[in-house]
Amino acid sequence: MRRLILFRHAKAEPRGPGQDDFDRPLAPRGWEDAGIVGRALAADGFAPDMALVSPARRTTETWIGARDAFAPAKTELAPSLYDAAPEAIREAIDDVADRCDTLIVIGHNPGLHEVAIEVLIEASASAAEIERVAARFPTATAAVYAIDEAGRARLDALYLAKELGGEGEG
């Protein structure tokens, strides 16, 4: 794997009475924001050849909303990504890293945000770069990393739907 994209799902509807968190759909704004981020990634040449997606409805719908911007990519639903701790996310990434060039992981906070920060700290990124990612990771945010031969990550881009013309969260 030479590139990693960590993409937090887009804005979801609040949980309805008797509805499980797992089954929450994207809000209309979430559908729009997923498409905006997908198109921005594609326009900058960050098209994944593999997607690792939490099977929760809001994450699968985020991928559906974004994937039209890319050439077809292999998609795997990864139950271990749902409400996952950083360690589980890293393990899921490691399990598929040798099978793709550019991997997009669509998951949930707080775990995804923690991984986004951890990979920069491990790569001895600058304090400014770490703070840029640490400051906020709202819905419909994608962090793009170039991975060198030693496995170190460098932040290539950070996309927030709100900054791209979407509404985003927060």
Side-chain angles (χ1 to χ4, degrees):
M1 175 177 70
R2 66 178 192 83
R3 190 168 312 282
L4 173 65
I5 304 167
L6 300 176
F7 188 178
R8 182 179 176 199
H9 67 79
K11 181 70 175 168
E13 293 286 356
R15 189 180 341 189
Q19 183 183 39
D20 187 62
D21 177 67
F22 188 86
D23 298 320
R24 290 173 44 219
L26 285 186
R29 181 176 100 198
W31 281 102
E32 180 182 336
D33 288 349
I36 287 169
V37 173
R39 289 186 298 276
L41 287 165
D44 289 341
F46 300 131
D49 56 302
M50 180 174 217
L52 199 57
V53 183
S54 162
R57 184 171 174 186
R58 62 191 176 275
T59 46
T60 59
E61 288 182 351
T62 297
W63 176 234
I64 290 166
R67 74 178 177 200
D68 286 344
F70 310 118
K74 180 177 173 136
T75 302
E76 289 188 19
L77 295 181
S80 64
L81 291 178
Y82 177 68
D83 201 23
E87 300 78 24
I89 297 168
R90 299 291 290 267
E91 186 175 321
I93 292 167
D94 290 345
D95 287 348
V96 300
D98 63 344
R99 294 190 279 143
C100 59
D101 184 58
T102 299
L103 174 66
I104 189 168
V105 178
I106 303 178
H108 311 267
N109 272 4
L112 202 66
H113 188 199
E114 291 175 29
V115 171
I117 297 165
E118 285 176 5
V119 296
L120 291 173
I121 292 170
E122 291 167 7
S124 300
S126 70
E129 201 167 64
I130 294 167
E131 178 54 32
R132 182 174 176 215
V133 173
R136 55 194 293 248
F137 210 81
T139 57
T141 293
V144 181
Y145 302 91
I147 310 296
D148 70 16
E149 290 183 13
R152 291 179 304 255
R154 181 190 78 240
L155 185 67
D156 269 351
L158 184 65
Y159 299 90
L160 285 77
K162 189 171 187 172
E163 292 176 2
L164 296 169
E167 295 186 43
E169 174 187 285

